[in-house]
Amino acid sequence: TPAIAGQSRIAYLVIYAGVSTVALQAMAVRQWRRLVVLGLALLAGVCLTVCFAPWRFWPVAYIALVPFVLACEWGRDRKATIWLIALAGVVYWGVTLYWLTWVTVVGHTGATLYQATYWLLAAWAMRRFLRSGWSCWIALPLVWVSVELLRSYVISFPWFFLAHSQYMHTSLIQISDITGQLGVSCFVAMVNGLLADGVLMALRRQPVQRRQWIVWGSGGAVVAASLVGMLVYGHYRLGQDTQEPGPVIAVIQGANPSTLYDEDHVSYPGREIGVYTERTVGLREAGCDLVVWPESVLPIGVMDFHRMDIIAMPPEIMSGFGVLYGAKPEASQDAIREVLTIQIDSAVEHMDALETVSRVIGCPILAGGHGVKINADQTWRASNDAIWIDGAGPYQPSYSKLGLVPFSEYIPFRRTCKPLFNILQSFVPEGMRFTEPGTEVIRFELVRGESRWTLAAPICFEGTISQIARRMVVQDGQKVTDVLVNMSNDGWFVYRKGEGPFRLSAEHTAHLIPYIFRAVENRVPVVRCVNTGISAWVDSNGRVVQSLGGQGGSTATGTPIAPGVAVFGKEWQSRGKSGDNIPETRKAGDNGSCSNGVMVDKRTSIYSIVGDRFACILGVVAVIGLTFSSLLKERVKTYG
């Protein structure tokens, strides 16, 4: 299997033991209120879990934070309350990120503890607001949106936001092109706060004052007005005729699990490059404008080595190449030159073959692979690249991924603090490649006859980060990108039982959902090509037009993965029976019309220009409110 045997069970046993110890200790000293606080916080985690993939019970999102607020309010001991809620956050994130244990238990532990700190921060802030007399329908959106904003920018992991529970409701999420996805999170949190206010008023021993009824009624009016406004705006946006035919894009989805622990597999899908080539050649009659392969398919350095002149290479650069490949410092120049010669010869051979395939199908290929480049200081660096191959067109520089995954694709402090880097490196699986981020956005020009489109290619995780997608779409306040083409390798997050087929996990849908919001935020279509799925075409209104997931096209968690080919044209597939925003593609390889391509959009969104200003304003208000609240004496409330 792609996981270390038993490591998932060990991780969950540790979490279970920790929670049980705290609960038993509370019962032993008869601290029943602490048990109630812990139980309510755990209930909030359960509610949040089921409103996301794979369950997708979206209505639960509107009540999920009510137990969280009650836990913050009912705890008598401030420190104990905050730490109990943080413990519940550990449980929630430990379960939510279960698929990380298949790659690294250390990474799963670190991510769980880090994300749980935001629960601690939210609990502290929410309790402070409540003790200062703030209404929940005002305080909760301020707190939760601020926390999600921090999660977007500080060691960014912008997954499982409140907004993501609503991705199926296309009309509701159109406001994202003004406020970003956090505007939707704000609305969901506001509804939770209004309901929490109602519960607290009902449980109050003293009669509810008229002023409190007025404030609560005002909150209901604001929520109702916000809902109507969002739906009206969404209907208006969806009714606009702003789309026009764009390029016909084909994606080749592999089904190659990636693992660090099984000698029968390698940590990238490139071992199947022959299969990708064969399937691509089979598209020569499809009339495609572009064929996309997933991340990490091409051999390392295939574009960079192809353009190097080993004869003119200075000795100091040659030595640096040996270091990049783990050669001993005492390795001779001749030995390093021999290795480099082999790499260059192999790159030339591969590139010639790939350019031939491009000429056969009559269009470029966009594929993922690791690049090898020379820095200004004559050192070498590896990068995670999107590589443009066009046998009949001009050379276009590769794009190097900007948003690398910490402790996976790179380790911090490589150049600034070598001792700390060495310590951190010991916690990361040896098979991981340590790449370095790119320095600029490189866009690709697709020219087909009289038509010309500009494409940007966020790679894997980085496209879930709003600020990186904005940077790709807009330059100097102008929209310069027509299509976002995302290449990913989600082969790390599949599982199997015994000798059965590999199956999709909850990670696959969770990875797709942020791209729905990137499409709406920037009014650009998104095409995803993902090893092991889910490949998809998302239009500029956030609708999943076509998708290619597991066996038979299914995107459901637990579906056996299967390779497939999809040609993304204009034909829209019917929605699933559940009303899901992810339609199933039932016939891989025959699921699109080539009469028109991916529909591009001429609109420029407000969000693309101003970014997360809306969320930042809420964050500033939250900080100001907490500052003033800390100067006020806590108000004591009594509940039954």
Side-chain angles (χ1 to χ4, degrees), residues 166-445:
Q166 307 301 304
Y167 77 95
M168 291 182 289
H169 299 281
T170 310
S171 296
L172 194 69
I173 67 174
Q174 297 306 303
I175 196 69
S176 299
D177 74 346
I178 298 176
T179 65
Q181 61 188 348
L182 296 182
V184 182
S185 290
C186 178
F187 173 74
V188 178
M190 191 185 302
V191 175
N192 275 272
L194 184 68
L195 295 177
D197 279 329
V199 173
L200 291 175
M201 289 168 60
L203 295 176
R204 196 184 306 274
R205 286 181 175 178
Q206 296 85 1
V208 179
Q209 299 177 5
R210 180 182 178 184
R211 181 185 65 83
Q212 293 170 322
W213 281 115
I214 293 175
V215 173
W216 190 69
S218 300
V222 172
V223 168
S226 298
L227 176 60
V228 172
M230 292 169 69
L231 292 177
V232 169
Y233 180 78
H235 180 75
Y236 162 71
R237 277 305 211 182
L238 292 174
Q240 289 183 302
D241 183 16
T242 59
Q243 298 179 343
E244 57 187 30
V248 175
I249 300 178
V251 300
I252 312 294
Q253 175 179 293
N256 312 111
S258 300
T259 177
L260 300 172
Y261 310 109
D262 189 342
E263 294 181 356
D264 293 334
H265 298 86
V266 293
S267 59
Y268 57 93
R271 63 183 303 185
E272 301 295 335
I273 190 170
V275 176
Y276 286 98
T277 300
E278 180 181 348
R279 289 176 181 154
T280 300
V281 172
L283 291 168
R284 58 181 174 270
E285 302 298 330
C288 299
D289 297 314
L290 177 69
V291 175
V292 184
W293 294 0
E295 177 190 19
S296 303
V297 171
L298 300 181
I300 186 169
V302 67
M303 178 65 78
D304 303 305
F305 287 139
H306 180 68
R307 309 182 68 81
M308 290 182 182
D309 183 358
I310 191 173
I311 304 299
M313 190 171 293
E316 60 271 18
I317 297 182
M318 194 80 68
S319 299
F321 174 81
V323 172
L324 179 70
Y325 271 79
K328 297 181 179 179
E330 62 270 18
S332 67
Q333 288 288 317
D334 290 340
I336 296 175
R337 187 180 298 273
E338 182 180 355
V339 173
L340 183 54
T341 300
I342 293 172
Q343 292 289 340
I344 291 177
D345 290 344
S346 175
V348 171
E349 181 180 348
H350 275 101
M351 185 55 66
D352 289 344
L354 292 169
E355 289 180 343
T356 298
V357 173
S358 172
R359 286 191 290 269
V360 168
I361 62 175
C363 72
I365 299 171
L366 182 59
H370 281 91
V372 178
K373 298 176 175 62
I374 302 174
N375 294 317
D377 61 357
Q378 308 303 307
T379 58
W380 293 70
R381 67 180 176 90
S383 56
N384 190 350
D385 288 3
I387 299 170
W388 188 271
I389 302 165
D390 189 353
Y395 164 75
Q396 298 198 44
S398 302
Y399 163 69
S400 296
K401 185 178 181 181
L402 299 174
L404 299 181
V405 182
F407 305 104
S408 175
E409 291 179 303
Y410 86 102
I411 300 176
F413 310 109
R414 177 191 293 270
R415 300 184 185 278
T416 57
C417 186
K418 197 68 173 179
L420 180 57
F421 168 80
N422 291 333
I423 294 174
L424 294 174
Q425 187 178 33
S426 64
F427 290 100
V428 177
E430 184 178 352
M432 286 289 191
R433 291 189 183 275
F434 303 128
T435 57
E436 296 187 34
T439 57
E440 60 179 328
V441 173
I442 300 294
R443 302 176 182 87
F444 302 102
E445 294 294 328

Side-chain angles (χ1 to χ4, degrees), residues 555-566:
T555 61
T557 300
T559 303
I561 61 170
V565 180

Side-chain angles (χ1 to χ4, degrees), residues 499-583:
E499 297 300 319
F502 286 93
R503 297 176 182 272
L504 300 175
S505 69
E507 184 275 345
H508 292 79
T509 306
H511 195 179
L512 168 64
I513 290 172
Y515 282 96
I516 293 174
F517 286 87
R518 298 299 84 76
V520 179
E521 287 171 346
N522 299 287
R523 293 302 175 189
V524 291
V526 177
V527 171
R528 300 191 75 223
C529 182
V530 186
N531 174 46
T532 72
I534 301 167
S535 300
W537 161 20
V538 183
D539 77 355
S540 57
N541 289 319
R543 291 177 289 209
V544 181
V545 180
Q546 292 178 229
S547 66
L548 181 61
Q551 200 168 62
S554 176
T555 61
T557 300
T559 303
I561 61 170
V565 180
V567 178
F568 291 152
K570 74 171 183 178
E571 185 174 301
W572 289 33
Q573 302 297 304
S574 60
R575 297 294 184 263
K577 295 180 180 179
S578 63
D580 197 337
N581 190 26
I582 302 182

